[in-house]
Amino acid sequence: MSAAKDFEFPNDVIFPLGDLYSDEPPLESELHLRQIILLLQSLELWWRNRNDFYAAGNLTIYYSQRQKRSEEFRGPDFFVVLGCQRKVRKSWVVWEEDGKYPNIIVELLSNSTASTDKGLKKQIFQDIFRTPEYFWFDPNNLEFAGFILIGGTYEPIEPNPQGWLWSQQLNLYLGVYEHKLRYFAAEGNLVPTPEEVAEQEKQRAEQEKQRAEQEKQRAEQERQRAERLAAKLRELNIDPESL
């Protein structure tokens, strides 16, 4: 399912300069910030060999049909656009990105935003953005839900036995793990964060060091055993070199 939309603009539209800056309010809490960073960093690490996507958090999406920054814009907490150049942007300007909208959006609920995220924003993402998948997650009470666009309407995504929701766009599950929203591979493996990868590498290096030390100790034990055997043979007037 494509997230792009066709544009038809009046001939007298004045095209504003590109590279518009994001215009988003501060995040609700540190939990919200850390959750966005987790989603962003772990996906970028998982797709580190890909250059055909853009992922961002708390960034403004400008989508005015008249190409005016002041008219229509929204700032999802986290979104991913597929089939585009992977590069740094100050905002996502739809009319400068071949009409592409996000393929997936995740909103982080809070007391002040929950009603908008579940109502107005969901309606905009469904009817205007036509974003194929929409998820929301509350970092405080762990409420989690996901929707897939079917026939122009968002339908709930059915959870698997673990309670995870499959994202066709990402080819990954999203699910709650240790009070955070995380990605899981199709096989069920947790998609790691950069910190977790670094810790895994550290543990592997420590294990390799321990194995090397154990091999060294075994070699030393074998050497000592061979020396004791050679000494015993000499006591018996047997040259161990002749054996």
Side-chain angles (χ1 to χ4, degrees):
M1 184 182 298
S2 173
K5 295 188 65 177
D6 296 330
F7 278 80
E8 295 183 0
F9 298 108
N11 294 328
D12 60 349
V13 169
I14 299 175
F15 284 64
L17 295 176
D19 206 14
L20 298 177
Y21 284 84
S22 184
D23 189 24
E24 289 313 296
L27 293 171
E28 182 75 13
S29 71
E30 182 181 349
L31 282 178
H32 291 72
L33 173 61
R34 290 185 179 277
Q35 179 63 72
I36 291 174
I37 293 173
L38 188 156
L39 290 172
L40 180 61
Q41 289 187 336
S42 53
L43 184 66
E44 289 187 331
L45 179 63
W46 186 253
W47 284 355
R48 58 190 175 277
N49 296 321
R50 291 181 55 170
N51 292 302
D52 61 346
F53 75 98
Y54 178 68
N58 200 42
L59 195 79
T60 301
I61 296 175
Y62 295 99
Y63 62 98
S64 168
Q65 291 286 322
R66 289 159 49 83
Q67 298 191 0
K68 289 189 175 182
R69 180 185 182 187
S70 60
E71 288 187 344
E72 294 175 308
F73 53 90
R74 286 287 163 180
D77 290 325
F78 176 77
F79 68 90
V80 180
V81 184
L82 303 177
C84 63
Q85 184 179 359
R86 184 177 181 181
K87 65 178 183 179
V88 175
R89 293 169 171 87
K90 296 173 182 176
S91 58
W92 184 266
V93 184
V94 171
W95 58 85
E96 293 187 348
E97 301 286 354
D98 298 323
K100 289 183 180 293
Y101 284 85
N103 290 72
I104 176 175
I105 289 174
V106 179
E107 288 289 357
L108 303 179
L109 305 181
S110 66
N111 291 336
S112 62
T113 66
S115 61
T116 301
D117 293 335
K118 295 179 180 181
L120 177 61
K121 279 192 174 182
K122 183 183 177 187
Q123 200 72 33
I124 290 173
F125 299 155
Q126 171 186 278
D127 298 338
I128 299 177
F129 282 27
R130 312 296 292 160
T131 292
E133 293 174 349
Y134 175 46
F135 298 84
W136 67 56
F137 173 67
D138 191 322
N140 292 299
N141 62 25
L142 309 186
E143 178 184 346
F144 176 48
F147 305 87
I148 184 170
L149 196 65
I150 299 177
T153 303
Y154 276 140
E155 299 292 343
I157 299 174
E158 292 296 324
N160 71 355
Q162 290 82 13
W164 307 340
L165 304 181
W166 178 251
S167 168
Q168 295 180 8
Q169 299 297 309
L170 302 181
N171 200 34
L172 293 170
Y173 284 105
L174 283 88
V176 181
Y177 175 78
E178 294 185 346
H179 306 289
K180 298 179 180 65
L181 187 61
R182 300 293 301 269
Y183 304 111
F184 298 86
E187 301 78 16
N189 300 326
L190 180 69
V191 173
T193 64
E195 292 79 11
E196 288 168 344
V197 169
E199 182 61 28
Q200 291 169 2
E201 292 296 330
K202 180 181 177 181
Q203 291 178 359
R204 277 195 288 269
E206 184 62 30
Q207 291 171 354
E208 288 296 326
K209 180 180 178 181
Q210 291 176 357
R211 280 194 288 269
E213 186 63 29
Q214 290 170 353
E215 288 296 328
K216 181 179 178 181
Q217 292 176 355
R218 280 195 290 269
E220 179 62 20
Q221 291 171 354
E222 286 296 322
R223 185 188 67 79
Q224 293 177 0
R225 188 179 70 82
E227 287 182 353
R228 289 194 298 270
L229 178 59
K232 189 65 176 178
L233 290 173
R234 292 189 186 95
E235 290 177 1
L236 299 174
N237 294 320
I238 301 174
D239 184 2
E241 299 296 331
S242 65
L243 299 178

